[in-house]
Amino acid sequence: MSLRDTVEETAIRVATATLPGRWFLKPPDPASIAVRTGMLSIEVVSHCWQYAHLLAYQLSSFVNFPPTRARLRMTVFHAAEDTKTQALLQFFGGIQVPGVTWNWQPLPRTELFRRSIGRNRVARGTDADWIWFTDCDIVFHRDCIDTLASRLQGRRDFLTYPKEERVTAMLEETDPVLIAERDRPRVVDIDTSQFTPAANPPRAKGAYQIVHGDVARQCGYCERLRVFQRPAARWQKTYEDSAFRWLLGTEGVGLDVPGIYRIRHVQKGRYGDNRTAAYVRGNIRRAAASMKKL
């Protein structure tokens, strides 16, 4: 990351702790937010870089448990260099699922590596009632989307999030869950007995940001913070998550939504062939997971 980017990111992190977000973005008047009821349209947005073996579980969840009380648009940002993800998307693109529309969005790798670029494009251009910004290691299992559609009926919240999730242990790359889907694209399912309840998310963060469509279209996703819209040579840490909440002036409203599972894994695909970085980051993630158990 360039010195300019580092300075700008640091300045934003200081600002989010000391200044009102409305100095940088005026959120919409809550009274102007449309009340949506009935059959809602929901767009789920993922970014995938070298995580095809995890994305397989996410896409399969919509094949195995298609929504009946919502229309779902599944958007995946990806890069041409990631051939396994390309093959996976081609496979699922050939599967017709009632109530589900596949939307594959290729990006130059440098734009994919700054996740807020794709999120902003969807936010500005979506016609959905609600957008769920997520990660490709999240599985939307039985009753998840249908229950979410029920919980969102008539709400004007800027930002919501699920109050609970279930997670695996921190999986090594040799774990059967991670190696099972590397050979060929196919529809798969998780063994839910391998997941345990995690601490309730305290706010709409990371993979759990569900935004009202009117708010997304008016505000974008960190569009005013130019560093978060600038391409990068490698995958960037997602500091824009907290900046987005700061700009909207809310931590989000928690909702009771079942069927959310997260596959935790030691080695990050975003480090690619940099084995040293993967090893160091893996040890950090192992230590962090161990500390949470204490």
Side-chain angles (χ1 to χ4, degrees), residues 86-164:
Q86 293 272 56
L88 183 77
L89 296 179
Q90 183 177 9
F91 170 78
F92 276 93
I95 302 176
Q96 294 187 348
V97 183
V100 176
T101 300
W102 305 123
N103 180 34
W104 313 145
Q105 292 292 317
L107 284 178
R109 183 168 59 176
T110 55
E111 294 185 9
L112 184 73
F113 288 169
R114 183 78 74 174
R115 191 176 60 177
S116 47
I117 293 176
R119 287 187 171 188
N120 185 58
R121 291 181 185 178
V122 172
R124 286 296 194 181
T126 189
D127 59 2
D129 297 321
W130 293 85
I131 305 174
W132 187 330
F133 293 117
T134 193
D135 293 333
C136 61
D137 52 4
I138 306 300
V139 180
F140 304 88
H141 214 253
R142 190 185 307 275
D143 295 329
C144 176
I145 298 299
D146 280 344
T147 302
L148 175 66
S150 297
R151 299 285 186 264
L152 292 175
Q153 293 290 315
R155 303 190 73 96
R156 281 198 173 104
D157 305 291
F158 288 5
L159 183 65
T160 69
Y161 65 95
K163 292 197 296 186
E164 60 183 63

Side-chain angles (χ1 to χ4, degrees), residues 71-84:
R71 298 186 303 275
L72 181 78
R73 181 180 178 91
M74 181 67 223
T75 296
V76 178
F77 287 100
H78 61 101
E81 296 92 332
D82 187 351
T83 56
K84 289 185 178 180

